[in-house]
Amino acid sequence: MVQLNFDHYLDPLHIDNGDVTIHQNGQTLPYRLDIKGSSFFAQWLLVERHKFYDLQTRQPMSDRYVMVKFSEDMLSNPQLRINPESILERDSVNGRIIGWANHNDFISPRDVEPWFTFHRGDRPWKTRVLPPSNTLINNLQHLRNSINFRIRRYNLNEDEIYLRTPLDAEINYGLPLHWLNSDINQLLDDLPAH
């Protein structure tokens, strides 16, 4: 049995014990899943630093991150930033899981640093400048070279390189949606136990 936590916290630094509780044979399994919802137009799975690592121990806050895209009739991110409680006034919210990633999928194995780190005010890249998957990239320098190659090859200007809206969070770690695992049947397979 899987139980979802729909509690809403107005404090952006509030950390709960995960969005999903999994019960099997009468026992609660020690897996931590964090569900991230975003607009229909989202191109990135973004996780704020304090929801990615424990800031004191640097231990992962979740084992897996699940990306849910809301339907087109959902309020926009700018509308929700102005009034986050407006989502609570809706009778229902529709969305679908489009992919998921393990905590370690965000991190370059060779550099032991996140593939993508964004600071407040940064605008993430559009997917056209990114490699089709992280399996084609060796390390962070290779990733930067690949992005720069695409920018030069297609002679892209700034509006063609970056998304329009700057990020609000102090630090986000991210993965482009086309790097996510889209096999939902594997979502609960082989989760690490704590």
Side-chain angles (χ1 to χ4, degrees):
M1 177 176 74
V2 175
Q3 290 181 311
L4 300 179
N5 174 359
F6 291 109
D7 291 340
H8 178 73
Y9 304 99
L10 293 179
D11 178 359
L13 295 179
H14 179 91
I15 302 294
D16 56 23
N17 290 322
D19 296 323
V20 177
T21 304
I22 303 169
H23 303 279
Q24 185 176 32
N25 300 326
Q27 294 196 348
T28 300
L29 301 181
Y31 306 141
R32 299 169 302 174
L33 299 177
D34 191 357
I35 298 175
K36 298 294 179 190
S38 196
S39 79
F40 181 78
F41 302 103
Q43 295 183 34
W44 287 84
L45 169 58
L46 297 170
V47 181
E48 294 171 81
R49 177 179 57 178
H50 66 278
K51 295 180 182 179
F52 191 72
Y53 287 124
D54 180 295
L55 298 180
Q56 278 73 45
T57 66
R58 297 272 295 173
Q59 293 298 307
M61 295 298 290
S62 290
D63 301 306
R64 289 203 172 136
Y65 297 87
V66 180
M67 179 63 175
V68 173
K69 269 193 179 185
F70 296 121
S71 59
E72 290 182 73
D73 66 340
M74 179 61 178
L75 299 168
S76 69
N77 286 345
Q79 291 170 315
L80 288 172
R81 280 190 203 101
I82 292 168
N83 182 9
E85 290 187 42
S86 61
I87 196 169
L88 301 175
E89 299 165 2
R90 297 181 65 94
D91 291 332
S92 66
V93 176
N94 295 314
R96 67 181 179 91
I97 296 173
I98 58 148
W100 57 272
N102 291 312
H103 180 86
N104 287 338
D105 293 340
F106 286 80
I107 299 168
S108 161
R110 190 166 295 171
D111 303 296
V112 195
E113 290 293 328
W115 286 111
F116 298 96
T117 301
F118 300 107
H119 296 87
R120 179 179 288 130
D122 287 349
R123 296 184 302 156
W125 288 284
K126 290 185 175 180
T127 55
R128 69 185 311 169
V129 302
L130 300 172
S133 81
N134 63 346
T135 60
L136 304 174
I137 302 300
N138 299 325
N139 57 38
L140 292 173
Q141 184 60 51
H142 189 198
L143 174 62
R144 284 189 287 273
N145 291 345
S146 177
I147 291 170
N148 289 333
F149 170 78
R150 285 177 175 75
I151 291 169
R152 285 190 309 274
R153 180 178 188 188
Y154 299 110
N155 195 28
L156 301 175
N157 65 44
E158 191 168 306
D159 288 335
E160 295 170 316
I161 297 169
Y162 299 103
L163 297 176
R164 189 177 324 139
T165 306
L167 299 175
D168 288 333
E170 182 183 341
I171 296 177
N172 278 304
Y173 301 118
L175 283 176
L177 297 187
H178 65 277
W179 284 22
L180 300 181
N181 185 330
S182 60
D183 187 347
I184 303 308
N185 293 323
Q186 293 181 353
L187 177 60
L188 298 178
D189 291 347
D190 303 322
L191 276 164
H194 300 282

